[in-house]
Amino acid sequence: KTNLLALNAHIEAASAGEAGKGFAVVANEIKEFARQSTRAAEDIAGRISVMQENTEAAVAVISDVSDIINSISQTSESISFTLDEQMNAANEIASNMAQANTRANDIAMSMEYLAKGAHEVSVSVGMAARGEVTERDLQVRHIDASAAKVARLAKELLELVDKFEI
């Protein structure tokens, strides 16, 4: 529209002759303004194009960041699940250790009982040494041998439990 206005002003200036010289100056200014407007419009269109390209690039980067965040979230969930499994395993080991400790205490109490029995056997052996052997004494000897075997097994078990660390 500005170019048409400039062309119309030139035509009017030419038809006015000498009197249209001032009008010709105005027509030239309008024509220059039309050129500047065209250059400015082209510059604005170029800037808009660059902004659209930058916006598309930003959208692509945001999409990549979103994918990375989703990946981190999935990894975090996997780590959390693995930690839960490890905690359950650690709790189970602790429970097994408590049971082993209870069993070791039971064995120790049995050993104490067997030690008392061994003392009784010792008394019976003394009697046997003096020639006072009875059927009960033979049974006590058998119990004494069994108690020694249990004591040896209990000692081995306690050594194994001591090696076990939480």
Side-chain angles (χ1 to χ4, degrees), residues 111-146:
M111 290 303 298
E112 186 177 327
Y113 176 73
L114 288 174
K116 288 178 185 177
H119 177 69
E120 290 176 12
V121 168
S122 175
V123 169
S124 295
V125 168
M127 290 172 57
R130 292 186 300 262
E132 303 170 9
V133 178
T134 65
E135 178 67 28
R136 182 174 181 258
D137 293 332
L138 294 175
Q139 290 175 349
V140 169
R141 286 181 189 161
H142 180 67
I143 290 173
D144 187 42
S146 296

Side-chain angles (χ1 to χ4, degrees), residues 3-26:
N3 282 333
L4 288 177
L5 181 61
L7 179 62
N8 188 28
H10 274 295
I11 292 171
E12 290 297 324
S15 66
E18 189 64 32
K21 282 187 178 183
F23 203 61
V25 171
V26 171

